[in-house]
Amino acid sequence: MSSEPGKLRSDRGQAFTLEGVLAALIVIAGLVFALQAVTVTPSTTGSTAAPVDSERFNTIFAESADSGALKRAVLAWDDGFQGVTTGEDYFVDAFPNNDFGNGLNDAVRPSVAVNVLVHYRTGPDTVKSQRMVYNGQPGDGAVRAESTVSVFDGDRLYDATGNPRPGTSVQADGLYPGLSDRSTGSDLYSVLKVEVIAWSA
Amino acid sequence: MERMTDRGQLLLAGAFVLAVALVGLTLVLTSGGYTTTLAGQDNAVDRGTDAITVREAVLSDLDRYLRRANSQYADILSGPVTAPHPEPKFTNVIPELTDGYRDQYGRHGRLVEVEAPTPTKIEHGYRVAQPDGESFQDLEAEESDADNIVSLASDARVRNVTFIFESVPPASNPIQIEFVTPSSSENWQVAVFQSGGGWDVTVTSTGGYSETCTRSGTTDDMAVDLSAATVDGDPCPALEGVAPSTHTYDVRITGELNVDGRFWVTVDDLNAGKVSQYKTYSNTEIADVIYSAKVPFRYESSSVSYRTDLRTAPGEIR
């Protein structure tokens, strides 16, 4: 009989502990569930509004690709993009003075920063990027669009305003660093991908 | 009394266990559904859009390349042909082009296959052109046509009919472009002449159609695009009745030919034996070009399998 009261106290202690642990678990699980159920929308505090209407942005970019303005801008190259005055081979805080650059400039507000990058393959597993316009790392709420440009051996290079430079060709004069003719047996020189990213500066 | 307290505690502990289990199960089901939604969006929408984007981009590239390859091909009547025919160049460039797209779209851990092998059908055609501003009078007919009648095409579907007039004759004796159906059904006639302070384009047919467009001014060249139904790039409703691509026609120029201008006519199936009739047209070029090509196209990714035929006919109206 003398051991019964001690055993009873020990059992009850364990039961209290179990109750405490389970109560803590249910509170934590409830908190996790509640946090998951909170809807995060673009207008929730902490995120930023899109710098441009992404649908309009994509349309303008697609029109540039269709009209050939994007290709002319990509081919405005002579050891750097034509018209650059910063000492770099790409534009900083400015757009190319051609149809593509002017169209892009009209599409975004002055407070919007834009990067234009041209991605190309230099080998089976290596991809390089050439900056056309670069304004730093994209911020929150960035809008992105991309398009491909096929370049052929006989394509002319262009000047800063989008006019062909007589006597030039991609094959003879070359294009970006490390980019070479991917297909010597055909007229194709390379397929490039152009990416445009816009965000509120 | 103590036994009852023990049972109460046991029931309370059981209730806690049940509650925790229910909340846990709910969390697992919720996150499972969320994951499924995300995975579905990525596969069904984004990658499906890629297939369409790549298809349109490849077709656009083929159009542009074919247009340029055709334009670089030499006039077959100006002597021995030294320039290579565009067909081998065209067929060589297709797989290289699609490999380029595969490489660009197969990045970021995605495996994408884009393929367009040898065209299944290539249709040859002819481009008849007077590319320099010369008198249409120099187009001397060699066949037994009456005087002042020039055949530009015989029994052919006609595309890209563009005339640029540097001068036009008076209304009493206009220059006329005739579309004559071999089956003697409705024939069409486009007459161009001076009228007051401008130049008129009058379209008539044997079926009773008669409409006129007037271009004001007489100093600048006038571009009449019969395929697009435009005059100097502006819509000309009168030309919409012609629709030269809907039938096979003999195309002729008649009337007053002593005016200057240029023209391009692309035909799809001109009988090769009739090419000789153009030899005496000193200012006219005829080139054997690729009129159209059908290329099988395949796009494969982990979640999208897409096959279709791409048809490119850069001289054709769509």
Side-chain angles (χ1 to χ4, degrees), chain B:
Chain B
M1 187 66 188
E2 280 181 358
R3 190 166 289 173
M4 282 181 67
T5 308
D6 287 350
R7 287 201 64 185
Q9 273 196 324
L10 203 60
L11 283 171
L12 191 60
F16 275 135
V17 169
L18 203 59
V20 170
L22 281 173
V23 171
L25 188 64
T26 309
L27 279 173
V28 168
L29 288 176
T30 307
S31 55
Y34 182 62
T35 306
T36 307
T37 306
L38 281 185
Q41 278 180 351
D42 184 40
N43 290 338
V45 179
D46 293 345
R47 296 181 189 182
T49 307
D50 275 358
I52 304 301
T53 303
V54 173
R55 181 197 69 187
E56 291 304 310
V58 169
L59 181 59
S60 171
D61 281 342
L62 292 181
D63 273 356
R64 287 181 183 180
Y65 181 76
L66 189 53
R67 197 182 298 274
R68 192 166 65 176
N70 279 342
S71 70
Q72 290 170 347
Y73 185 51
D75 174 15
I76 60 175
L77 299 182
S78 61
V81 174
T82 52
H85 192 275
E87 183 171 338
K89 295 172 75 176
F90 179 68
T91 51
N92 280 347
V93 90
I94 297 171
E96 298 291 344
L97 189 65
T98 50
D99 282 356
Y101 277 91
R102 176 201 61 200
D103 292 346
Q104 288 293 359
Y105 279 83
R107 294 165 57 191
H108 309 306
R110 286 187 296 171
L111 182 63
V112 170
E113 186 63 50
V114 183
E115 188 182 62
T118 310
T120 53
K121 184 181 179 185
I122 287 186
E123 192 178 5
H124 287 248
Y126 292 89
R127 188 183 65 249
V128 186
Q130 177 173 292
D132 301 317
E134 306 281 354
S135 167
F136 291 110
Q137 189 74 57
D138 291 337
L139 299 165
E140 294 290 341
E142 188 181 72
E143 288 190 330
S144 58
D145 297 327
D147 286 346
N148 288 352
I149 294 181
V150 174
S151 288
L152 293 181
S154 299
D155 197 10
R157 281 184 296 168
V158 186
R159 303 287 194 273
N160 260 15
V161 189
T162 303
F163 279 76
I164 297 177
F165 296 98
E166 297 176 4
S167 60
V168 299
S172 57
N173 189 19
I175 183 170
Q176 294 158 341
I177 306 154
E178 294 184 348
F179 295 85
V180 181
T181 51
S183 58
S184 297
S185 57
E186 191 169 30
N187 298 331
W188 294 83
Q189 188 180 67
V190 179
V192 181
F193 52 88
Q194 299 170 10
S195 70
W199 292 348
D200 272 9
V201 178
T202 296
V203 183
T204 55
S205 81
T206 52
Y209 183 92
S210 181
E211 296 286 342
T212 298
C213 291
T214 300
R215 202 283 304 262
S216 59
T218 58
T219 52
D220 298 326
D221 296 353
M222 179 171 71
V224 180
D225 187 337
L226 284 86
S227 319
T230 61
V231 172
D232 287 343
D234 296 326
C236 169
L239 289 170
E240 289 175 0
V242 185
S245 62
T246 55
H247 292 92
T248 58
Y249 287 107
D250 293 343
V251 183
R252 300 172 180 167
I253 306 180
T254 66
E256 177 55 66
L257 301 183
N258 193 21
V259 291
D260 292 344
R262 294 168 277 163
F263 72 84
W264 297 264
V265 177
T266 305
V267 297
D268 69 335
D269 195 21
L270 191 64
N271 186 311
K274 295 180 180 175
V275 170
S276 60
Q277 72 182 272
Y278 300 101
K279 282 184 177 175
T280 54
Y281 302 168
S282 58
N283 299 320
T284 307
E285 292 180 356
I286 300 182
D288 176 7
V289 296
I290 295 176
Y291 174 76
S292 72
K294 190 157 80 173
V295 182
F297 172 83
R298 182 173 71 88
Y299 178 99
E300 302 270 359
S301 71
S302 59
S303 55
V304 175
S305 177
Y306 179 70
R307 289 167 190 260
T308 187
D309 282 334
L310 304 178
R311 183 175 181 276
T312 172
E316 200 168 89
I317 309 149
R318 293 181 185 167

Side-chain angles (χ1 to χ4, degrees), chain A:
Chain A
M1 280 298 282
S2 62
S3 65
E4 280 301 311
K7 184 173 181 295
L8 192 63
R9 279 197 301 274
S10 169
D11 288 349
R12 290 197 66 181
Q14 277 192 333
F16 283 138
T17 306
L18 188 62
E19 277 178 36
V21 169
L22 288 172
L25 271 177
I26 204 164
V27 168
I28 290 168
L31 278 174
V32 170
F33 186 67
L35 286 174
Q36 264 212 338
V38 173
T39 306
V40 179
T41 66
S43 58
T44 303
T45 304
S47 64
T48 52
V52 290
D53 179 349
S54 69
E55 195 169 327
R56 181 164 173 260
F57 190 60
N58 278 309
T59 302
I60 289 166
F61 195 45
E63 283 173 356
S64 294
D66 286 344
S67 69
L70 178 60
K71 183 169 182 175
R72 291 193 293 276
V74 163
L75 295 178
W77 177 266
D78 185 12
D79 288 334
F81 279 101
Q82 295 271 297
V84 168
T85 55
T86 58
E88 304 284 355
D89 59 4
Y90 53 86
F91 293 88
V92 178
D93 203 21
F95 289 99
N97 182 28
N98 50 36
D99 290 342
F100 171 66
N102 294 332
L104 208 54
N105 193 20
D106 292 341
V108 297
R109 297 187 303 270
S111 60
V112 172
V114 173
N115 283 352
V116 182
L117 308 172
V118 185
H119 306 292
Y120 55 95
R121 283 193 176 258
T122 54
D125 299 313
T126 51
V127 177
K128 289 188 76 172
S129 297
Q130 173 62 48
R131 296 168 176 171
M132 182 190 294
V133 178
Y134 191 74
N135 289 298
Q137 287 291 323
D140 289 342
V143 173
R144 178 176 165 276
E146 64 180 27
S147 182
T148 46
V149 173
S150 299
V151 178
F152 294 94
D153 294 343
D155 282 340
R156 289 273 179 88
L157 296 174
Y158 287 79
D159 65 16
T161 54
N163 296 311
R165 290 160 52 206
T168 61
S169 76
V170 170
Q171 191 177 41
D173 298 280
L175 207 53
Y176 310 132
L179 177 62
S180 57
D181 191 350
R182 67 165 288 143
S183 166
T184 52
S186 82
D187 280 351
L188 183 71
Y189 191 81
S190 190
V191 177
L192 317 174
K193 181 176 275 187
V194 184
E195 182 182 26
V196 181
I197 307 163
W199 72 98
S200 292

